[in-house]
């Protein structure tokens, strides 16, 4: 079988880098992407120093032009996309205005939705035709357990974080709707919470590494045919296996 091709958004650092790195260990051709070319090239170089070969192409998921250029390059270079990990994200929760719905800035809400929701929609819409053409695809969306509406009332551990939470609720909803559309195909889309990790976003006090957070993404990116469709998973590390969270 021809080697599977995986695209990981925002993969020059943090969770995306860890996911990209681990996918190479599954004999998958991984494409590292980043919005700044020098960041992605540096990540490719770091991996190469470990004898891990990945391809790289710039990709700003909030830009129509960038996604179009990426898709054209992918078509010409590989002619396929088997796996898409929608990892790129922003989190404005540290801004003081995010402490209350009364102070949240609409512009912050808008830009968070642009990156965390609309960009996931944009790149998924661009790459789905590759998957449909071969009736194979694994799409992994990255969310947070903070987006579980069922748990929101009693998750006192987390900040209010309206822009971030609502954006990830959007990602969860997008996953559920896409899964419904893909019912009966061998294109599986799921969303997961990687847990609190030591990345630029998570900070150094987080209990887990990005490599630990990546494990569930790799599991979902390599699901066998007939695997789960349209589920919201917790990080496997926490429960010792794949456990679906309440929406
Ligand atoms: N860290 C945690 O504890 C935690 C917990 C739950 C969920 N998550 C989720 O995990 C994912 C990865 O987060 P992380 O912790 O690895 O954060 P991170 O270290 O801040 O990395 C975020 C990545 O997203 C990229 N990105 C942002 N906007 C982009 C755009 N327009 N186009 C392309 N790439 C873009 C960043 O690139 P630049 O360097 O160019 O900005 C970076 O590569 C996010 O979806 C986040 O919400 C994280």
């Amino acid at each position: 079988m021809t080697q599977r091709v995986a695209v990981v958004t925002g993969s020059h650092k943090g969770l995306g880098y860890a996911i990209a790195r681990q996918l190479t260990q599954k004999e998958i051709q991984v494409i590292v992407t980043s919005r700044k070319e020098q960041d992605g090239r540096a990540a490719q170089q770091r991996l190469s120093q470990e004898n891990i070969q990945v391809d790289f192409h710039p990709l700003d998921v909030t830009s129509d032009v960038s996604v179009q250029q990426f898709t054209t390059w992918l078509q010409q270079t590989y002619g396929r996309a088997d796996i898409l990990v929608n990892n790129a994200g922003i989190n404005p929760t540290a801004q003081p205005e995010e402490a209350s719905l009364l102070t949240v800035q609409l512009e912050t809400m808008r830009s968070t939705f642009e990156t965390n929701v609309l960009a996931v929609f944009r790149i998924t819409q661009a790459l789905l035709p590759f998957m449909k053409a071969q009736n194979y695809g694994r799409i992994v969306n990255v969310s947070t357990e903070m987006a579980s509406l069922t748990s929101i009332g009693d998750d006192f551990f987390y900040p209010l974080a309206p822009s971030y939470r609502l954006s990830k609720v959007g990602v969860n909803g997008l996953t559920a709707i896409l899964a419904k559309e893909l019912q009966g195909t061998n294109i599986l889309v799921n969303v997961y919470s990687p847990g609190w990790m030591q990345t630029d976003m998570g900070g150094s006090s987080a209990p887990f590494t990005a490599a630990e957070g990546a494990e569930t993404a790799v599991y979902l990116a390599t699901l066998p045919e007939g695997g789960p469709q349209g589920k919201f998973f917790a990080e496997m590390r926490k429960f010792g296996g794949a456990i679906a969270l309440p929406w």
Side-chain angles (χ1 to χ4, degrees):
M1 190 186 66
T2 322
Q3 202 177 18
R4 296 217 183 279
V5 170
V7 175
V8 186
T9 66
S11 45
H12 70 91
K13 66 173 185 176
L15 178 65
Y17 180 83
I19 294 170
R21 188 178 179 287
Q22 288 180 28
L23 283 174
T24 64
Q25 290 155 12
K26 303 283 181 189
E27 295 180 10
I28 291 165
Q29 170 64 61
V30 174
I31 300 163
V32 164
T33 66
S34 66
R35 54 181 158 177
K36 292 195 202 108
E37 172 136 20
Q38 69 269 27
D39 287 341
R41 294 277 175 216
Q44 188 183 30
Q45 186 65 28
R46 281 203 306 283
L47 288 166
S48 159
Q49 281 159 6
E50 288 186 68
N51 280 324
I52 296 174
Q53 307 312 324
V54 293
D55 207 342
F56 165 75
H57 198 274
L59 176 61
D60 179 341
V61 288
T62 57
S63 157
D64 286 333
V65 172
S66 177
V67 169
Q68 262 164 26
Q69 286 171 346
F70 178 79
T71 308
T72 302
W73 170 83
L74 191 65
Q75 172 65 50
Q76 288 166 355
T77 313
Y78 294 100
R80 62 190 295 152
D82 304 273
I83 296 164
L84 169 63
V85 183
N86 284 310
N87 162 79
I90 58 170
N91 183 352
T93 304
Q95 296 177 18
E97 297 84 4
E98 287 291 315
S100 162
L101 272 171
L102 297 180
T103 53
V104 164
Q105 306 288 300
L106 265 181
E107 194 38 55
T108 306
M109 183 78 76
R110 209 172 270 132
S111 58
T112 309
F113 267 71
E114 272 293 337
T115 303
N116 292 3
V117 194
L118 301 184
V120 172
F121 169 70
R122 179 184 289 105
I123 186 73
T124 303
Q125 205 178 43
L127 299 197
L128 252 182
F130 290 106
M131 299 179 179
K132 288 207 157 184
Q134 54 183 3
N135 190 32
Y136 180 92
R138 301 291 179 262
I139 301 172
V140 184
N141 294 332
V142 182
S143 185
T144 164
E145 62 185 349
M146 289 167 74
S148 167
L149 292 175
T150 309
S151 316
I152 220 159
D154 43 33
D155 69 355
F156 297 112
F157 177 68
Y158 295 120
L160 210 56
S163 296
Y164 186 63
R165 273 192 211 253
L166 277 172
S167 70
K168 294 297 189 179
V169 169
V171 172
N172 287 3
L174 190 156
T175 306
I177 292 171
L178 182 57
K180 185 173 167 64
E181 181 168 346
L182 294 173
Q183 261 170 14
T185 72
N186 189 21
I187 304 172
L188 303 175
V189 55
N190 291 284
V191 62
Y192 91 107
S193 164
W196 185 22
M197 301 165 295
Q198 297 146 19
T199 62
D200 285 352
M201 187 187 292
S204 55
S205 329
F208 298 110
T209 63
E212 289 172 315
E215 288 163 7
T216 313
V218 173
Y219 166 76
L220 294 172
T222 55
L223 284 172
E225 187 165 358
Q229 173 73 289
K231 297 278 188 281
F232 178 25
F233 285 98
E235 68 268 34
M236 295 169 73
R237 174 192 59 245
K238 196 157 160 183
F239 299 99
I243 296 288
L245 288 165
W247 292 109

